[in-house]
Amino acid sequence: MNVNGRHYRTIWIKEDDESVVRIIDQRRLPHEFIIEDLTTVDDTATAIKDMHVRGAGLIGATAGYGMYLAALEAARAASFDSHMEEAAEKLLSTRPTAVNLSWAVKRQLDAVMRAGSPAERTAVALRTAVEIADEDAEFCRRIGEHGVRLIEEIAAAKNGRTVNILTHCNAGWLAFVDYGSATSPIYAAFDRGIDVHVWVDETRPRNQGASLTAWELGQHGVPHTVIPDNAGGHLMQHGLVDIVIVGTDRTTYTGDVANKTGTYLKALAAKDNGVPFYVALPSSTFDWEIRDGVRDIPIEERGPDEVMYIEGLCDGEIKRVLLTPRESRAANYAFDVTPARLITGLITERGICAPNEEAILGLYPEHRR
Ligand code: MRU
């Protein structure tokens, strides 16, 4: 997608140095656009854990490139295999909820360990990292092609009046390699000239909606309004939301969806008000092992400071201020699970399906047991 008119992906190999991976440091957006270099697997693990990069697809792609950096290191280590296994463990321990992380690490290990000499293994690791990133971008593009039909139908039913879409957190191109999942149908609709407007949940505590989704929609020229997280129910009651489209960090093969905390409450409000509630995801975000998402999807608990403090621009400087009494406790459950029964449909790279085992495995028959 474009930043100030120039095309960027969220992760790439440095043009003149194949041993450097470049990312956009998302902690600094929307106020500063900083590109960061990653040169070791430790850099990569820190970038994922401390959320320089975030979002399911990009976490997976970054882990893919991290395994490539690990292969460069392994070629100089005492044991190639042990170095790769340690690197895999390091990356896997960074964040627990987005399943794309373990999917990408496993894909790399399977590919690299089958190759021969260290030089061949390093070449395979680079090729696989690029494949993971390219596939992520292409799958998100296809999600847009399928999802745009939903927006077109609503626009037709409204005789061309504005289609209001509500989204939560950032499942945009910043959360993937390009296009995004939830935003891809929105960009496709906007590019086809459909009159769209996006309600952007601010998404406490880290405010990915207010800082990232608002920024990237603005870069593309898509009309949007940032709202406090708790306003969605009111908007739905008053007919101001035509469709909700969110992303996901892990979706079970039965259709339960883990996404940024607060998604479940939006789904309840949507159900109560008859608003269609869609979840957009590439197949790398399906968990083909877990049946009961509420019981079994691991939910990341982050530090209390993210709840107690808030960061923003003040007199030209980024400042952090305390919101709560210093002595109050704060809890920070970063994700929640929306049960399949509250979801209208899943928008995938292979098409739109109902959130149930039969329909999901109908689209992905290779995962039938
Ligand atoms: O904690 P984050 O920012 O990595 O969380 C990911 C998200 O932005 C959302 O949960 C998103 O909707 C799904 S990721 C495509």
Side-chain angles (χ1 to χ4, degrees), residues 50-280:
D50 295 346
M51 295 177 69
H52 311 199
V53 290
R54 27 68 49 206
L58 181 54
I59 290 172
T62 307
Y65 280 108
M67 290 298 281
Y68 158 59
L69 294 176
L72 290 176
E73 294 166 2
R76 301 187 297 267
S79 158
F80 193 99
D81 289 14
S82 328
H83 190 82
M84 290 306 282
E85 273 149 27
E86 278 163 29
E89 284 306 313
K90 205 172 275 173
L91 290 167
L92 289 173
S93 70
T94 52
R95 296 195 69 192
T97 302
V99 74
N100 301 60
L101 176 63
S102 54
W103 169 85
V105 167
K106 183 175 180 314
R107 182 161 162 177
Q108 273 285 27
L109 278 180
D110 288 350
V112 170
M113 297 312 205
R114 270 204 309 269
S117 67
E120 278 163 16
R121 288 176 160 198
T122 307
V124 167
L126 175 58
R127 201 163 56 238
T128 307
V130 172
E131 270 167 22
I132 290 171
D134 287 351
E135 189 178 289
D136 182 87
E138 173 56 16
F139 284 8
C140 283
R141 191 191 65 74
R142 288 190 213 163
I143 286 169
E145 292 297 309
H146 295 297
V148 73
R149 292 205 324 264
L150 301 169
I151 300 175
E152 281 172 337
E153 279 164 21
I154 296 168
K158 289 185 82 174
N159 291 322
R161 279 180 294 121
T162 309
V163 179
N164 288 299
I165 302 155
L166 185 141
T167 194
H168 190 67
C169 199
N170 174 263
W173 71 268
L174 287 165
F176 289 86
V177 174
D178 211 344
Y179 300 97
S181 57
T183 53
S184 189
I186 299 172
Y187 289 129
F190 178 80
D191 291 346
R192 290 178 190 194
I194 297 172
D195 185 359
V196 288
H197 164 262
V198 185
W199 297 111
V200 178
D201 282 353
E202 62 177 347
T203 319
R204 285 280 295 145
R206 286 187 67 100
N207 299 304
Q208 289 96 326
S211 56
L212 303 177
T213 305
W215 179 78
E216 63 160 89
L217 289 173
Q219 288 291 324
H220 201 78
V222 178
H224 61 277
T225 306
V226 179
I227 51 171
D229 288 326
N230 301 325
H234 168 79
L235 295 175
M236 291 187 215
Q237 280 177 327
H238 289 269
L240 295 170
V241 180
D242 295 303
I243 183 170
V244 179
I245 310 180
V246 299
T248 166
D249 299 85
R250 188 186 295 233
T251 290
T252 64
Y253 66 92
T254 54
D256 294 340
V257 164
N259 193 47
K260 184 54 58 191
T261 201
T263 303
Y264 172 45
L265 294 177
K266 293 297 131 65
L268 285 170
K271 188 74 163 181
D272 194 43
N273 290 284
V275 174
F277 186 97
Y278 281 88
V279 178

